[in-house]
Amino acid sequence: MVSSVTNGYATNPYLATGAASTTAATTADKSEASSAAAAKTSGSGDKVTLSAEAQAALAAQTDNRTTDAVIASARSALDKLLAGAKASSALKDGKATIDVSGLDRRSLYAIASNKGGKFSIEEQVVASLQMKANRDTALSASASVMRVTGDYAGLYKAALANLEAAGPEEKAMGQWAKDKAALTEGLAQATAKPGVAPSGIDGDPVAAYLKEVGGVVANPRTRDIGKVASDVRAVLDKQYATATKDGMATGPDDGEIDFSKFDDRSLAAVALNKGEQFSEHEIAQAAAEVKTRSRDSVSSTYAATKGLDGSAFGKSLITQYAGMSDEERQASGWTPALYDKMVELQNLSDKLASLFNSDGSVNTGGTSLLDYL
């Protein structure tokens, strides 16, 4: 039901673009940063404000900490947050107990990827979701413009700027290079054919982002579910009125309903019949779409984590659960009992993995199998 979040540490959509545009974006950011520095030292009194993207890029370029220093700092910050929240875990019942939005990107990545083995599953999940939220924020303005003007190139450039703000640890991952290649092709297509959505790109982060956030209901993730349902009702009625293809629904009681542009929470509003505004046919078709998306999400997560360490798949599923709204969980059947079982199995997976060395030989220096039996 929730789209994958993978880049080697959990599962994550969006990041990459062309070599020429990369140089241009980086040059622009450096130029903007240089202008700000010049204004600061010139004594002219002029004030230059960096964009959020330029600030992030500048921070990434000037962060000279070692990986070990980043890990130590992240561990200390988490300990303080947990103590302040009087929480023993970063997640409780699949929901965050601490706010990690104040941590920088390198720290979040260190936690999400469990650098140094210093971070629990729950901490990795919370950090992964915060990275995803930060990425969503970085793309939201360009996505809004794209919906009005059809400027896909601007959206791909925004994804590139977000990509380039990554730290050295993140850039060293194979997923970073794959995202860059996909966005390179996306920007090339968007530039060659303005107003036309790029297509046929394997692992396109922007396409995944647009599919997740939908495009027909305003702020579906943050608004009251009843108001979301009312918006969905209005959109469906307009869709029926303009349907022209054979077999497509022209009313609420029969025909094929196109839910492709609805985000998961809006779809859940129909499947759960929030506000009792939907027909039996609409509910049944929405429920079928929820089932399909849930199956496809799990399948794509499995494919994305195949070949990684044995715990990657479980961590990705736990991250997906934690990222769902209550309505999405209910509609897709992802119950609290399922979450508890995933965490239980994940903990076991991590323990079993610790019994072996990277070459597959038995680890005789640590805990033995008997300690788990």
Side-chain angles (χ1 to χ4, degrees):
M1 184 78 176
V2 170
S3 65
S4 294
V5 227
T6 313
N7 55 10
Y9 56 86
T11 328
N12 163 23
Y14 347 108
L15 306 157
T17 292
S21 60
T22 299
T23 302
T26 304
T27 301
D29 284 341
K30 287 182 177 178
S31 176
E32 190 172 1
S34 298
S35 298
K40 185 176 182 180
T41 58
S42 67
S44 65
D46 294 335
K47 183 178 180 181
V48 178
T49 302
L50 293 178
S51 66
E53 293 79 7
Q55 290 179 30
L58 182 60
Q61 294 162 12
T62 58
D63 186 352
N64 296 318
R65 292 176 296 170
T66 65
T67 299
D68 287 343
V70 172
I71 294 170
S73 176
R75 181 66 268 166
S76 177
L78 282 179
D79 290 341
K80 290 179 181 178
L81 289 172
L82 289 167
K86 297 180 179 180
S88 59
S89 172
L91 282 178
K92 183 178 181 180
D93 300 327
K95 295 184 179 180
T97 61
I98 57 175
D99 179 5
V100 296
S101 61
L103 299 185
D104 65 275
R105 181 159 171 173
R106 284 186 73 189
S107 295
L108 288 171
Y109 183 78
I111 300 167
S113 58
N114 195 22
K115 288 290 184 183
K118 300 292 185 180
F119 308 100
S120 68
I121 296 168
E122 292 81 4
E123 291 165 348
Q124 294 169 48
V125 168
V126 170
S128 295
L129 290 174
Q130 185 60 52
M131 289 188 72
K132 179 176 179 295
N134 291 348
R135 181 222 55 215
D136 287 356
T137 299
L139 299 187
S140 61
S142 295
S144 295
V145 171
M146 181 278 297
R147 291 188 179 100
V148 175
T149 66
D151 180 20
Y152 285 93
L155 181 54
Y156 277 87
K157 289 177 182 177
L160 170 64
N162 184 63
L163 176 71
E164 292 298 334
E169 298 85 7
E170 192 175 345
K171 287 183 176 180
M173 296 296 293
Q175 187 62 43
W176 192 90
K178 291 178 181 178
D179 288 341
K180 185 167 184 174
L183 287 179
T184 298
E185 174 61 22
L187 181 61
Q189 288 190 26
T191 303
K193 295 182 178 180
V196 179
S199 61
I201 304 172
D202 185 34
D204 182 356
V206 166
Y209 166 76
L210 291 175
K211 182 177 180 180
E212 179 184 351
V213 299
V216 294
V217 176
N219 304 317
R221 304 297 302 176
T222 57
R223 293 168 64 225
D224 175 78
I225 192 65
K227 294 180 179 179
V228 171
S230 293
D231 279 1
V232 173
R233 175 71 275 159
V235 171
L236 283 176
D237 289 341
K238 290 180 180 178
Q239 185 172 294
Y240 299 151
T242 58
T244 57
K245 293 183 179 179
D246 291 342
M248 296 302 293
T250 56
D253 298 317
D254 56 59
E256 188 69 24
I257 303 174
D258 181 10
F259 284 114
S260 62
K261 293 184 179 180
F262 288 87
D263 66 282
D264 289 343
R265 190 163 184 252
S266 298
L267 185 62
V270 182
L272 298 175
N273 194 21
K274 290 295 182 178
E276 299 184 351
Q277 302 183 64
F278 305 100
S279 69
E280 291 185 5
H281 178 69
E282 289 170 328
I283 294 169
Q285 290 237 328
E289 178 68 14
V290 167
K291 184 177 180 180
T292 297
R293 290 190 189 186
S294 183
R295 182 190 65 240
D296 291 348
S297 176
V298 172
S299 296
S300 62
T301 298
Y302 178 77
T305 56
K306 193 174 183 180
L308 302 176
D309 68 88
S311 64
F313 179 53
K315 288 177 184 176
S316 293
L317 291 181
I318 294 171
T319 303
Q320 288 188 41
Y321 181 94
M324 288 180 175
S325 66
D326 291 338
E327 296 82 15
E328 290 169 81
R329 293 173 185 172
Q330 184 181 350
S332 61
W334 287 49
T335 64
L338 175 62
Y339 170 78
D340 290 341
K341 179 60 66 175
M342 286 193 296
V343 172
E344 177 186 342
L345 292 175
Q346 186 61 41
N347 286 329
L348 177 60
S349 174
D350 284 348
K351 288 178 180 179
L352 289 175
S354 71
L355 299 178
F356 299 91
N357 298 315
S358 59
D359 62 359
S361 62
V362 176
N363 178 8
T364 58
T367 307
S368 73
L369 180 61
L370 290 177
D371 291 306
Y372 298 131
L373 299 179

